[in-house]
Amino acid sequence: MPRVKRAVHAHKKRRKVLEQARGYWGLKHSSYKQAKEQVDKSLVYAYRDRRNKKRTFRRLWIMRINAAARREGLSYNQFVAGLRKAEIPLDRKVLADLAVSDPAAFAEIAKQARAALEKA
């Protein structure tokens, strides 16, 4: 069996980890052992927070819709129930954007939602 010299691959592997650890504080950006541990942990945080970001944005959208709906005299749950009864298929992201950027259009939607609630 021929002898395998692993220096090139080992250096490449270490260099990749140290590149990912750029900007870390202390030995975490220069010591391979500590950099590897921190990079692994950082990747775990990144994976987790890609999911948490969706929760955070949904909460923000709901707060914005609630504030805009209360300006129109409806609570958030009344507004959403009215949208369902009026069969208006807008999601929270679009509604929140309308509430911030175009209050007149949001007021029109809220009026339709209120009318659907009163009819039912």
Side-chain angles (χ1 to χ4, degrees):
M1 200 91 187
R3 176 171 162 232
V4 176
K5 297 168 77 176
R6 290 186 32 90
V8 173
H9 180 68
H11 286 147
K12 185 178 177 184
K13 184 176 85 167
R14 291 189 185 107
R15 187 173 62 239
K16 180 182 172 189
V17 169
L18 289 171
E19 277 292 313
Q20 287 178 309
R22 278 179 52 202
Y24 292 171
W25 189 84
L27 286 177
K28 291 177 181 177
H29 79 278
S30 56
S31 164
Y32 173 70
K33 182 177 178 181
Q34 291 182 346
K36 184 175 184 308
E37 289 175 0
Q38 188 57 53
V39 165
D40 287 346
K41 188 66 175 171
S42 298
L43 291 172
V44 169
Y45 285 141
Y47 178 84
R48 179 197 70 190
D49 291 339
R50 280 194 297 274
R51 278 128 194 91
N52 287 353
K53 183 175 165 185
K54 293 163 183 55
R55 295 180 211 162
T56 307
F57 269 101
R58 183 182 169 95
R59 285 179 60 195
L60 175 67
W61 297 332
I62 288 173
M63 282 188 261
R64 287 179 175 175
I65 294 167
N66 187 26
R70 287 186 186 276
R71 274 198 314 255
E72 303 302 322
L74 293 167
S75 68
Y76 173 77
N77 63 340
Q78 290 171 333
F79 177 71
V80 172
L83 286 180
R84 289 222 170 90
K85 288 184 176 141
E87 297 179 0
I88 299 174
L90 294 176
D91 62 1
R92 286 166 183 82
K93 181 178 178 181
V94 171
L95 287 169
D97 186 50
L98 278 175
V100 171
S101 62
D102 193 0
F106 187 87
E108 189 61 37
I109 293 170
K111 192 186 303 180
Q112 292 176 11
R114 177 178 291 143
L117 275 176
E118 291 169 356
K119 190 190 303 183

